[in-house]
Amino acid sequence: MSRLRVGVVGAGTWGKNHVRTLAGMPEVELAAVCDLSPDTRTRLAGQYPGVHMTESAADLLGRVDAVVIASTASTHAALGRQAVDAGIPALIEKPFALTVADAEGLAEAAERAGVPLLVGHLLEYHPVVERLGTMIQKGELGDLYYLYSQRVNLGQVRPDENALWSFGPHDVSVALFLMGDAPVSVAAQGHSYLQRGIEDVVFLTMKFASGVVAHAQMSWLDPHKERRLTVVGSRQMAVFDDMASREKLRIYDKGIDRPDYVSYGESLSVREGDIYIPRVSNAEPLAVQLKHFVSVIRKETEPRADAADGVRVVRVLEAAGQSLARDGAPVTLRGS
Ligand SMILES: NC(=O)c1ccc[n+]([C@@H]2O[C@H](COP(=O)([O-])OP(=O)(O)OC[C@H]3O[C@@H](n4cnc5c(N)ncnc54)[C@H](O)[C@@H]3O)[C@@H](O)[C@H]2O)c1
């Protein structure tokens, strides 16, 4: 089978990881890279001789079978539309778009044109998140009570998006993936310390129809670097620590048991059981995601994090932004 010619638009801090990963995939020919920065193009031309470097997305789209869009968030919707209009399958980095209207317009255009369109919700490809999803589906954690994530570190301070739009796509996409549902309401509070009107710290709460609450703490102004998700169920509790170099998932056989018959004298009993560490693949999520992108284009598999997923997550983020502007007043989501 001939190699798929793939291009990358936006090869900055994150996009260069797409470039590196695609360049190493046997089923792919890294055909072109587009970036507005001449320095970036010159540097990459030295690293990847033979790969076409350009500042024009239209030029790139004329040379490839598929494109990864990893440019600045505010350019995603327009560049995605350009790819769809050219009939080129695209994987758009998170956030899929910055408004629900743009996200829906993009998803509808791709649907109409029959062009595969994926969103870079990287953690949906993380083997630990997949494993957690399976455990939840099988009821291994019991009834789900709540989950919370911490995505905090010091920098990179972004001038064009707040911590909600920068980090939120990860936490929201994981919560929706694990719950298999979208929240019915969201509330968010945040604070801008470094730049006026751009929240450095955001606390987001999502409520699901099942009663489950998912909370996310997001910040680029924090002394710790944490990437941690805790899921609490009636039978077991799970902790995914993505900063750990190995043994990222721990299952705690802990809980509070409620006797069937509760008399006046009986109390709830604490169960302190074992902690176990399931064996989970250590495959790199970005490589899994890009391999999946190629399989979707070759019609070997159905898309996982598709345009509809992109729209669902943008709906939550937009509603969270409205709540943020109203100092945390809950916002109800419709048609999720
Ligand atoms: N999936 C993940 O885990 C993950 C991690 C980090 C960043 N991201 C996302 O990737 C995107 C890029 O983030 P970053 O940290 O690399 O930003 P960055 O600012 O370092 O890089 C953006 C690059 O895009 C280029 N660019 C901007 N507009 C362009 C255009 N119209 N045409 C071509 N090139 C253009 C810039 O010159 C720059 O090199 C963001 O949407 C971010 O949220 C995703």
Side-chain angles (χ1 to χ4, degrees):
M1 198 182 285
S2 63
R3 292 193 299 164
L4 195 75
R5 293 172 306 157
V6 183
V8 177
V9 177
T13 316
W14 183 247
K16 67 178 180 342
N17 295 324
H18 280 286
V19 171
R20 171 183 48 79
T21 308
L22 288 165
M25 288 170 64
E27 63 272 51
V28 163
E29 176 196 341
L30 175 66
V33 173
C34 164
D35 200 289
L36 295 183
S37 154
D39 289 351
T40 299
R41 295 199 303 272
T42 306
R43 196 177 57 252
L44 290 175
Q47 271 177 278
Y48 302 96
V51 174
H52 181 74
M53 296 290 154
T54 179
E55 61 177 337
S56 156
D59 175 26
L60 177 138
L61 291 172
R63 296 167 179 271
V64 299
D65 306 313
V67 64
V68 172
I69 296 171
S71 47
T72 318
S74 57
T75 65
H76 290 181
L79 286 167
R81 190 58 195 258
Q82 209 177 328
V84 166
D85 289 347
I88 303 292
L91 185 153
I92 303 183
E93 256 310 331
K94 59 84 185 165
F96 186 58
L98 292 182
T99 65
V100 173
D102 277 353
E104 287 178 346
L106 194 50
E108 280 159 19
E111 176 83 36
R112 264 197 314 276
V115 174
L117 187 58
L118 270 63
V119 58
H121 291 160
L122 186 69
L123 290 179
E124 292 187 42
Y125 296 91
H126 199 300
V128 169
V129 174
E130 265 194 294
R131 179 63 170 263
L132 266 174
T134 308
M135 294 184 77
I136 290 171
Q137 260 178 15
K138 288 186 176 165
E140 289 175 21
L141 301 184
D143 295 331
L144 270 201
Y145 287 159
Y146 71 96
L147 47 133
Y148 68 95
S149 54
Q150 290 151 312
R151 192 168 303 281
V152 301
N153 51 254
L154 196 59
Q156 166 187 9
V157 179
R158 292 187 185 262
D160 50 355
E161 57 184 349
N162 60 14
L164 173 70
W165 285 89
S166 181
F167 296 128
H170 291 304
D171 300 295
V172 172
S173 63
V174 168
L176 270 57
F177 174 80
L178 293 180
M179 298 302 303
D181 198 5
V184 289
S185 78
V186 298
Q189 281 190 311
H191 302 276
S192 314
Y193 299 104
L194 304 176
Q195 303 169 93
R196 187 188 289 265
I198 299 178
E199 288 81 2
D200 313 288
V201 181
V202 174
F203 302 90
L204 166 69
T205 305
M206 295 170 269
K207 283 191 182 165
F208 292 82
S210 59
V212 170
V213 172
H215 181 77
Q217 177 185 354
M218 299 161 270
S219 171
W220 55 53
L221 185 58
D222 196 285
H224 308 104
K225 179 156 184 170
E226 301 274 10
R227 297 283 182 269
R228 194 194 299 267
L229 169 70
T230 303
V231 184
V232 175
S234 56
R235 282 182 52 207
Q236 303 198 97
M237 303 177 182
V239 177
F240 164 30
D241 182 359
D242 207 9
M243 291 307 295
S245 51
R246 44 199 286 275
E247 301 175 353
K248 287 173 184 271
L249 179 61
R250 280 168 193 255
I251 308 297
Y252 294 77
D253 183 16
K254 293 184 179 207
I256 309 283
D257 289 337
R258 204 193 298 263
D260 286 342
Y261 172 71
V262 182
S263 68
Y264 181 75
E266 276 175 313
S267 57
L268 300 172
S269 64
V270 172
R271 178 168 36 81
E272 288 273 7
D274 291 338
I275 301 169
Y276 75 95
I277 300 166
R279 201 181 164 84
V280 182
S281 149
N282 60 1
E284 189 193 357
L286 186 61
V288 177
Q289 182 187 50
L290 289 170
K291 222 174 158 43
H292 175 74
F293 182 41
V294 172
S295 300
V296 168
I297 295 165
R298 295 206 158 136
K299 298 192 180 356
E300 294 161 358
T301 183
E302 288 299 309
R304 281 164 63 168
D306 58 5
D309 192 26
V311 172
R312 277 193 293 273
V313 169
V314 171
R315 276 197 194 121
V316 174
L317 294 171
E318 190 177 271
Q322 289 162 0
S323 173
L324 207 52
R326 291 189 234 146
D327 196 25
V331 173
T332 304
L333 281 150
R334 282 180 211 89
S336 293

